């Protein structure tokens, strides 16, 4: 049983908590700043009383890698060093009150969401926003400006992707460095408060109706809904085993979900004295839970190391009790190991009973008498062998139907050599009957199989041979020759044939072949992949998949050709229009190069250096699928110039750049804010014409002198 340990109890609301480097945990409170404490003994190692952090704070986030704190007081974001309390950056925003913040792991980026429904991207080493990633609501709504309760409710990041959810329950995914591959999911119509990436291809969301949704991102599979017994899901936490997620809702319980089985495996994994507000898990497999009563608890989760220890010390009973108490240990390699050890004991006990040595059987199984998952099965061994003498008599009399019935009622008898011999005899009879049918001697086949006609467990397989013998013969031949057209035709009228082991093996091998082709494509072995596709092209069950793989081969070939010709602009456009190329080695290399030069250009943009951006990107400035990102870089560089000139009170040059900006980009919300600042500082109204006030496309700058005169 998992026992929570009380770490701390605060005097005000805990607003955020995060694991940091050096085995430390940081959390913030509504009124008393930030505390850092050691995970070993829950002792506070540092109190950070921060003047600006308090009841006015509307959002907060910690950075694991950099030991940074970001917090927002409505429209101002502060970046603070947790080591020395120094404010590193102050970012003033103009897109509404910041209500949610999130650092992107292994990057210099910070994502924010506002009460205007906007998701913005910043660098924590800069003072200006870099991009608007998306806006909510996603769907077209009349009188959008009249929405009074707009929001961004959840953020998550994984690799190059950021996911966000907001008004209307939609989820938007986008590549952070290119603003390409935008995908919007509208599977939920209600507020989503929790998002979590399971892996590269899977995103999990939790909404206020208490529904967990599993979204498969790249194969266009339907959304999987898992109903929980609670409402208002608040947190989704991926467990270290990568298979389970822990979920908290408007409840004092934690829910455990198996993402592979796609079901709740425990609706009361842990129960607390008050409702759960926050939870995190650290690298030591320790769970930290914040309750509504401002209590912080620590729970050490069982690990496979504990199972290994029990196995090493021959404590099989303790190992099983540990697995029973924690579903997250089920299915692990160590769990499979203790099942093998149990199987050995089970076999020893049966062998002892076969030799009429009940005392030895009891001695062998004694260690597992109190293991609830094995107690009934072990008890059934002794019950079964009370009928062993009768079973041997029936076997000697070849009364197989009664023998099989007795074994169905007492499964332990299936471990006897008599049962194994019966099965061998049946297989031989069945195989011989099949051969008789193939040469047209159905009467002989029926005669051979007649002793098994009343055996319930054999009825289905006998029906395959005796009732549908012609179809069975044709089907067997089709499977053997891999004649998929005939297989599909027969299956339409005889679904039961799908249970034949040879067909199951063929189907499994076909799926493996598809995976092998995909691997060949990712490794750029296009000729080998094409040959495999041609070999399988007459397979109706995977016809659509083969078409897609063949199209992918052609796309990769075109990508290779453009790469060899140094036409990188087209390369990136191909990558962005074909999402299934993400795992290609060439794609990874090109994306790495893009991230490197974009990082440089962001630094130029934050310095107002348009010229360096253009010279660095060159032809990549006009990658059609990424103009949103490159356009944002140019806009930010202009914003930075205008701000710098206003700060120096160089109003004439600031005015000129504002007019230039309008000619190139039009008037947007960011420029509107700067224009108001200019007019307030100069007490002068800018001369804006009706033509200039008209909105223009976001990519209008591509046709401006900024590019044409490049």
């Amino acid at each position: 049983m998992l026992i929570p340990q009380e770490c701390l109890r605060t005097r005000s609301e805990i607003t955020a908590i995060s694991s940091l480097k050096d085995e430390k945990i940081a959390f913030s409170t509504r009124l008393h700043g930030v505390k850092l404490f050691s995970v070993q003994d829950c002792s506070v190692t540092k109190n950070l009383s921060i003047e600006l952090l308090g009841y006015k704070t509307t959002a907060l986030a910690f950075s694991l890698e950099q030991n940074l704190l970001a917090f927002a007081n409505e429209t101002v974001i502060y970046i603070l060093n947790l080591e020395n309390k120094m404010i590193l950056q102050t970012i003033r925003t103009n897109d509404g009150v910041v209500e949610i913040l999130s650092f992107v792991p292994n990057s210099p980026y910070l994502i924010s969401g506002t009460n205007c429904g906007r998701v913005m991207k910043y660098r924590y080493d800069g003072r200006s926003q870099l991009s608007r990633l998306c806006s909510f609501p996603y769907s077209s709504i009349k009188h959008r400006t009249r929405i009074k309760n707009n929001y961004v409710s959840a953020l998550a990041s994984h690799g190059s992707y950021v996911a966000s959810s907001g008004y209307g329950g939609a989820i938007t995914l986008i590549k952070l460095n290119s603003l390409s591959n935008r995908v919007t999911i509208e599977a939920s119509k209600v507020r989503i408060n929790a998002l979590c990436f399971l892996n590269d291809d899977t995103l999990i969301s939790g909404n206020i109706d208490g529904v967990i949704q599993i979204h498969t991102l790249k194969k266009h599979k339907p959304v999987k809904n898992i109903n929980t017994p609670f409402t208002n899901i608040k947190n989704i936490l991926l467990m270290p085993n990568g298979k389970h997620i822990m979920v908290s809702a408007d409840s004092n319980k934690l829910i455990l979900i198996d993402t592979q089985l796609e079901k709740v495996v425990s609706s009361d994994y842990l129960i607390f004295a008050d409702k759960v507000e926050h939870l995190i898990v650290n690298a030591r497999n320790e769970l930290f839970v914040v309750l509504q009563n401002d209590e912080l608890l620590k729970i050490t989760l069982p690990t496979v190391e504990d199972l290994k220890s029990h196995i090493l010390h021959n404590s099989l009973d303790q190992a099983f009790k540990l697995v029973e108490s924690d579903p997250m240990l089920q299915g692990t390699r160590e769990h499979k190991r203790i099942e093998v050890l149990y199987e050995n004991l089970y076999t020893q006990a049966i062998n002892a009973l076969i030799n009429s040595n009940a005392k030895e059987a009891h001695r062998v199984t004694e260690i597992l008498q109190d293991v609830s998952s094995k107690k009934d099965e072990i008890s059934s061994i002794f019950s079964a062998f009370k009928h062993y003498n009768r079973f041997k008599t029936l076997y000697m009399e070849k009364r197989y139907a009664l023998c099989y019935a007795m074994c169905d009622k007492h499964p332990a008898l299936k471990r006897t050599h008599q049962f194994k011999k019966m099965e061998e005899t049946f297989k031989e009879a069945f195989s011989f009957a099949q051969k008789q049918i193939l040469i047209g001697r159905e009467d002989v086949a029926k005669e051979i199989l007649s002793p098994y006609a009343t055996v319930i467990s054999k009825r289905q397989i006998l029906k395959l041979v005796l009732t549908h013998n012609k179809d069975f013969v044709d089907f067997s031949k089709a499977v053997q020759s891999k004649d998929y057209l005939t297989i599909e035709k027969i299956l339409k009228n005889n679904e039961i044939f799908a249970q034949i082991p040879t067909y199951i093996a063929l189907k499994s091998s076909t799926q493996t072949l598809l995976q092998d082709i995909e691997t060949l494509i990712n490794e750029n072995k296009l000729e080998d992949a094409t040959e495999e596709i041609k070999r399988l092209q007459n397979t109706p069950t995977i016809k659509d998949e083969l078409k897609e793989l063949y199209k992918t081969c052609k796309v990769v070939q075109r990508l290779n050709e453009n790469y060899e010709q140094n036409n990188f602009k087209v390369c990136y456009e191909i990558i962005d229009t074909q999402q299934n190329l993400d795992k290609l080695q060439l794609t990874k290399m090109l994306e790495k190069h893009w991230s490197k030069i974009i990082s440089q250009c962001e630094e130029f943009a934050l310095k107002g250096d348009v010229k360096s951006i253009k010279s660095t990107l060159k032809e990549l400035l006009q990658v059609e699928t990424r103009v949103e990102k490159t356009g944002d870089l140019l806009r930010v560089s202009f914003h930075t110039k205008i701000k710098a000139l206003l700060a120096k009170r160089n109003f004439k040059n600031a005015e000129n750049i504002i007019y230039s900006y309008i000619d190139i980009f039009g008037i947007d919300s960011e420029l509107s804010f700067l224009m108001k600042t200019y007019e307030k500082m100069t007490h002068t109204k800018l001369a804006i014409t009706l033509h200039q006030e008209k909105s223009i496309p976001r990519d209008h700058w591509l046709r401006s002198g900024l590019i044409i005169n490049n």
Side-chain angles (χ1 to χ4, degrees), residues 638-687:
F638 274 81
H639 298 159
T640 305
K641 273 189 176 182
I642 295 169
K643 289 176 185 176
L645 291 170
L646 290 176
K648 295 176 181 178
R649 306 188 70 81
N650 188 342
F651 300 124
K652 184 61 179 175
N653 284 340
E655 180 183 10
N656 290 336
I657 294 179
I658 288 173
Y659 289 136
S660 296
Y661 185 97
I662 294 171
D663 290 339
I664 298 169
F665 302 106
I667 298 176
D668 49 38
S669 60
E670 293 83 3
L671 184 69
S672 294
F673 177 78
L674 292 173
M675 288 166 63
K676 288 176 183 177
T677 304
Y678 170 87
E679 291 175 347
K680 185 177 180 180
M681 292 178 70
T682 62
H683 305 287
T684 304
K685 188 76 173 173
L686 288 163

Side-chain angles (χ1 to χ4, degrees), residues 117-170:
R118 292 180 175 177
V119 181
M120 315 300 292
K121 171 187 171 184
Y122 302 89
R123 284 177 66 125
Y124 52 70
D125 57 355
R127 296 191 176 189
S128 298
Q129 73 174 52
L130 292 172
S131 299
R132 184 193 304 176
L133 300 181
C134 63
S135 296
F136 294 97
Y138 167 73
S139 299
S140 178
I141 296 177
K142 291 182 178 180
H143 311 299
R144 183 185 293 247
T145 54
R146 296 182 186 177
I147 296 174
K148 295 181 180 179
N149 59 339
N150 205 350
Y151 58 82
V152 177
S153 54
L155 298 170
S157 54
H158 177 79
S160 59
Y161 281 90
V162 168
S164 56
S165 183
Y167 191 97

Side-chain angles (χ1 to χ4, degrees), residues 253-320:
K253 298 178 181 179
L254 290 181
I255 309 163
L256 195 65
I257 292 176
D258 188 318
T259 59
Q260 293 179 6
L261 299 177
E262 297 174 349
K263 70 175 186 178
V264 176
V265 291
S266 177
S267 58
D268 53 0
Y269 182 75
L270 283 165
I271 304 174
F272 305 100
D274 209 340
K275 290 183 178 180
V276 177
E277 290 295 322
H278 308 283
L279 57 148
I280 61 168
V281 65
N282 66 5
R284 291 160 55 103
N285 221 45
E286 295 168 326
L287 178 69
F288 292 87
V289 179
V290 175
L291 303 183
Q292 199 173 66
N293 62 7
D294 303 322
E295 187 177 6
L296 176 58
L297 302 174
K298 171 184 171 182
I299 303 100
T300 301
L301 299 173
T303 67
V304 292
E305 297 303 320
D306 300 320
L307 271 182
K308 287 179 181 178
S309 176
H310 291 315
I311 294 171
L312 184 64
H313 294 91
N314 294 319
S315 301
L316 195 57
D317 55 339
Q318 296 302 315
F320 272 114

Side-chain angles (χ1 to χ4, degrees), residues 62-76:
F62 292 97
S63 168
L64 170 63
E65 295 91 358
Q66 303 296 328
N67 278 7
L68 299 176
L69 168 68
F71 63 95
N73 290 347
E74 295 190 343
T75 60
V76 182

Side-chain angles (χ1 to χ4, degrees), residues 294-531:
D294 303 322
E295 187 177 6
L296 176 58
L297 302 174
K298 171 184 171 182
I299 303 100
T300 301
L301 299 173
T303 67
V304 292
E305 297 303 320
D306 300 320
L307 271 182
K308 287 179 181 178
S309 176
H310 291 315
I311 294 171
L312 184 64
H313 294 91
N314 294 319
S315 301
L316 195 57
D317 55 339
Q318 296 302 315
F320 272 114
K321 287 177 181 178
L322 188 60
V323 170
E324 288 171 0
S325 68
D326 200 303
M328 283 192 289
L329 295 176
Q330 295 173 12
T332 60
R333 184 186 301 174
E334 288 70 23
H335 178 206
K336 293 174 183 177
R337 173 62 181 155
I338 64 172
E339 288 290 356
V340 169
L341 294 174
Y342 166 73
E343 173 64 21
N344 292 339
L345 290 181
Y346 188 89
T347 302
Q348 288 178 40
I350 286 178
N351 289 337
L353 290 170
I354 288 172
N355 294 312
S356 302
N357 192 345
K359 185 177 180 180
E360 174 64 12
H362 280 292
R363 186 192 68 78
V364 168
T365 58
E366 185 178 9
I367 190 174
L368 299 172
Q369 290 296 324
D370 296 327
V371 176
S372 58
S373 63
K374 302 299 181 185
K375 191 174 182 180
D376 291 342
E377 189 174 25
I378 289 171
S379 177
S380 71
I381 300 174
F382 297 95
S383 299
F385 274 83
K386 290 178 182 178
H387 307 277
Y388 184 45
N389 289 331
R390 172 64 177 162
F391 175 70
K392 288 191 291 185
T393 300
L394 292 171
Y395 173 75
M396 293 296 293
E397 296 172 355
K398 297 187 178 181
R399 297 167 69 180
Y400 296 144
L402 290 176
C403 285
Y404 275 111
M406 188 175 287
C407 288
D408 288 339
K409 188 175 181 180
H410 304 289
L413 294 175
K414 293 180 180 180
R415 299 298 189 98
T416 62
H417 72 274
Q418 288 88 355
F419 179 82
K420 292 174 183 176
K421 187 64 179 176
M422 273 199 318
E423 283 290 90
E424 287 177 14
T425 303
F426 170 74
K427 287 178 182 177
E428 289 172 2
F430 185 79
S431 179
F432 186 70
Q434 278 184 288
K435 292 177 182 177
Q436 296 304 306
I437 289 173
L438 288 172
I439 60 176
R441 301 176 64 182
E442 295 177 21
D443 54 337
V444 176
K446 289 180 180 179
E447 179 66 25
I448 292 168
L449 296 175
S450 60
Y452 305 96
T454 57
V455 177
I456 295 174
S457 61
K458 306 299 182 186
R459 259 179 209 167
Q460 262 192 334
I461 198 163
L462 293 180
K463 186 179 178 182
L464 287 176
V465 178
L466 301 177
T467 309
H468 302 279
N469 46 63
K470 184 180 185 305
D471 285 347
F472 176 75
V473 170
D474 292 343
F475 188 78
S476 298
K477 290 179 178 178
V479 169
Q480 189 174 7
S481 62
K482 297 182 180 180
D483 182 355
Y484 293 99
L485 290 173
T486 302
I487 290 171
E488 290 300 305
K489 183 179 177 181
I490 296 174
L491 278 177
K492 285 180 181 179
N493 299 319
N494 302 276
E495 293 182 4
I496 196 171
F497 284 7
Q499 300 176 21
I500 294 177
T502 52
Y503 171 72
I504 293 171
L506 177 64
K507 191 175 180 181
S508 176
S509 66
T510 303
Q511 291 302 316
T512 302
L513 286 172
L514 287 175
Q515 293 172 7
D516 291 343
I517 294 171
E518 190 173 339
T519 300
L520 289 171
I521 293 172
N522 289 333
E523 293 174 354
N524 225 337
K525 298 177 181 177
L526 301 184
E527 289 186 7
D528 293 341
T530 303
E531 285 301 314

Side-chain angles (χ1 to χ4, degrees), residues 94-95 118-121 129-135 174 178-179 182 621-639 661-672 694-704 706-707:
N94 61 305
D95 291 289
R118 292 180 175 177
V119 181
M120 315 300 292
K121 171 187 171 184
Q129 73 174 52
L130 292 172
S131 299
R132 184 193 304 176
L133 300 181
C134 63
S135 296
I174 193 168
S178 62
L179 304 190
R182 188 188 301 268
L621 191 66
Q622 299 181 66
V623 175
E624 290 183 13
T625 52
R626 304 192 176 196
V627 294
E628 187 175 348
K629 176 59 184 176
T630 51
D632 281 348
L633 288 171
L634 296 172
R635 288 184 184 89
V636 170
S637 62
F638 274 81
H639 298 159
Y661 185 97
I662 294 171
D663 290 339
I664 298 169
F665 302 106
I667 298 176
D668 49 38
S669 60
E670 293 83 3
L671 184 69
S672 294
K694 290 182 180 180
S695 61
I696 60 175
R698 291 281 287 181
D699 63 351
H700 175 75
W701 61 272
L702 286 168
R703 296 175 288 282
S704 71
L706 183 67
I707 298 300

